[in-house]
């Protein structure tokens, strides 16, 4: 699975493959406790044509689309740039602090 995927990331991945994608920005999961803008959005994808055949033969089910998105989203440029910046900040911050010991009374 992908940690914290956004609706725009899912839209980008699905549109790149060739799906008809519709993003509803104001929709959100009712049990989501965080009401921030980044957690909002529902992605609707047309999986099947009117006659019941899949739009794209390599993605016959919803599960196959989700597995593809889970594989592809970590490879997006926005994700790889964030990871690179995070690793640099971890390397710079290491070594300076030592753990707290017990206070003596």
């Amino acid at each position: 699975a992908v940690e914290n995927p956004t609706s725009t990331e899912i839209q980008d991945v699905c549109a790149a493959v060739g799906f008809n994608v519709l993003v509803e920005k104001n929709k959100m999961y009712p049990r989501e406790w965080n009401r921030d803008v980044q957690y909002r959005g529902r992605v609707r994808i047309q999986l099947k044509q009117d006659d019941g055949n899949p739009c794209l033969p390599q993605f016959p089910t919803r599960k196959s689309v989700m597995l593809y998105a889970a594989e592809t989203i970590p490879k997006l440029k926005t994700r790889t740039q964030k990871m690179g910046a995070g690793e640099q900040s971890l390397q710079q911050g290491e070594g300076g602090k030592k753990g707290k010991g017990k206070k003596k009374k």
Side-chain angles (χ1 to χ4, degrees), residues 20-100:
N20 291 333
V21 182
L22 174 68
V23 177
E24 298 171 345
K25 292 282 185 188
N26 292 326
K27 298 287 185 179
M28 66 182 292
Y29 187 65
R31 284 189 246 164
E32 177 65 52
W33 61 273
N34 196 340
R35 302 278 182 206
D36 289 342
V37 175
Q38 70 181 17
Y39 295 104
R40 292 185 183 189
R42 176 171 65 181
V43 181
R44 300 189 73 179
I45 300 169
Q46 182 181 359
L47 282 178
K48 297 185 179 183
Q49 299 170 354
D50 293 335
D51 60 356
N53 293 328
C55 291
L56 297 175
Q58 66 265 32
F59 300 109
T61 61
R62 186 183 328 174
K63 185 176 180 179
S64 64
V65 174
M66 289 185 192
L67 290 174
Y68 175 76
E71 290 175 7
T72 311
I73 288 176
K75 298 175 187 175
L76 290 174
K77 285 184 179 179
T78 55
R79 289 278 176 142
T80 55
Q81 289 173 355
K82 287 180 186 175
M83 292 299 287
E87 290 173 1
Q88 290 174 353
S89 65
L90 286 176
Q91 291 173 354
Q92 292 172 356
E94 288 178 3
K97 296 181 180 178
K98 293 190 176 185
K100 289 185 178 179

Side-chain angles (χ1 to χ4, degrees), residues 1-7 9-10 32 38-39 73 79 82:
V2 179
E3 189 172 329
N4 298 327
T6 63
S7 58
E9 290 174 336
I10 297 169
E32 177 65 52
Q38 70 181 17
Y39 295 104
I73 288 176
R79 289 278 176 142
K82 287 180 186 175

